[in-house]
Amino acid sequence: FFLFPSEEHNPPGPTAPDPPGTPRPPLVEGQKRPPDDTMASYPNVELKTSCGTFVIELYHKHAPKACQNFLELAKRGYYNGIIFHRVIKNFMIQGGDPTGTGRGGNSIWGKPFEDELTPKLKHTGAGILSMANSGRNTNGSQFFITLAPTPWLDGKHTIFGRVRKGMQVVQRIGLVKTNKNDRPHEEVKIYQAYPVFP
């Protein structure tokens, strides 16, 4: 089980809304709750890394299960201490594997979950958040963020968000020195990942 195998640096790809009545995350003191009928009612996810902090906006409407999975894993502290184990300049950064090997990680359901593919979302540029996988319907906890347009990944990987703030941090991660297996020489670590309201 190896997500996103190397292929001449033009690889094939990195390796449901909450049900009614689901409790919503608490507000920060002084923060107002946005209306339920807006996407702003969903939290973003902030990632504090060894290279800086960036914020992810999740696409709950188009990929509800992937968003629920990512958000819940962040709430549980699952991503805390995990590294970006794969970085390819001008392509993508990949993380989310607690083993740091590119072969591990589980979803909140304890098993792989299905793809949520839509022609409305494409890998059109830098900052796109997608699920890494090892084939159809094999999503777990691993994800990648694009550093450039990657149209060959369209229809193969579930897009479920974008970098809302701190893209310069993602770009900084994309410039770290790596070995022949695209693994950073110095660890790039996620110190904390947690939900925040926009």
Side-chain angles (χ1 to χ4, degrees):
F1 185 68
F2 184 74
L3 300 184
F4 188 23
S6 297
E7 285 189 14
E8 298 297 325
H9 285 358
N10 187 23
T15 38
D18 293 335
T22 300
R24 297 170 68 194
L27 293 173
V28 176
E29 184 177 350
Q31 187 176 33
K32 294 182 179 180
R33 175 78 68 187
D36 281 329
D37 60 353
T38 70
M39 294 309 293
S41 63
Y42 293 100
N44 296 325
V45 174
E46 184 167 289
L47 288 87
K48 288 188 175 180
T49 79
S50 52
C51 286
T53 300
F54 62 94
V55 177
I56 294 291
E57 175 187 349
L58 298 175
Y59 294 159
H60 290 269
K61 180 178 179 181
H62 296 293
K65 288 199 76 170
C67 291
Q68 180 186 357
N69 181 63
F70 188 76
L71 183 59
E72 183 59 32
L73 289 176
K75 287 180 184 177
R76 295 178 185 179
Y78 186 89
Y79 292 126
N80 297 352
I82 287 180
I83 62 170
F84 284 96
H85 63 271
R86 196 131 197 243
V87 174
I88 300 179
K89 186 178 180 180
N90 297 322
F91 179 32
M92 62 92 227
I93 65 174
Q94 184 176 343
D97 174 10
T99 72
T101 64
R103 301 168 187 256
N106 291 308
S107 74
I108 59 174
W109 299 283
K111 60 182 180 180
F113 64 94
E114 65 272 18
D115 297 327
E116 296 171 290
L117 306 174
T118 171
K120 294 182 179 180
L121 298 177
K122 298 182 183 297
H123 298 85
T124 54
I128 303 297
L129 174 69
S130 287
M131 292 299 300
N133 62 43
S134 58
R136 291 186 61 188
N137 303 317
T138 58
N139 302 292
S141 64
Q142 292 193 44
F143 60 90
F144 66 95
I145 301 172
T146 60
L147 299 170
T150 55
W152 63 92
L153 302 181
D154 293 344
K156 297 178 182 177
H157 295 267
T158 297
I159 295 173
F160 67 103
R162 70 177 180 95
V163 177
R164 180 184 179 95
K165 183 180 179 182
M167 188 60 203
Q168 70 276 13
V169 174
V170 175
Q171 292 168 332
R172 192 177 305 140
I173 296 172
L175 293 174
V176 300
K177 293 183 179 180
T178 59
N179 64 20
K180 63 180 181 180
N181 294 318
D182 306 314
R183 188 179 184 87
H185 288 299
E186 295 185 13
E187 285 188 347
V188 179
K189 186 170 287 188
I190 299 172
Y191 292 139
Q192 285 184 295
Y194 47 87
V196 292
F197 275 95

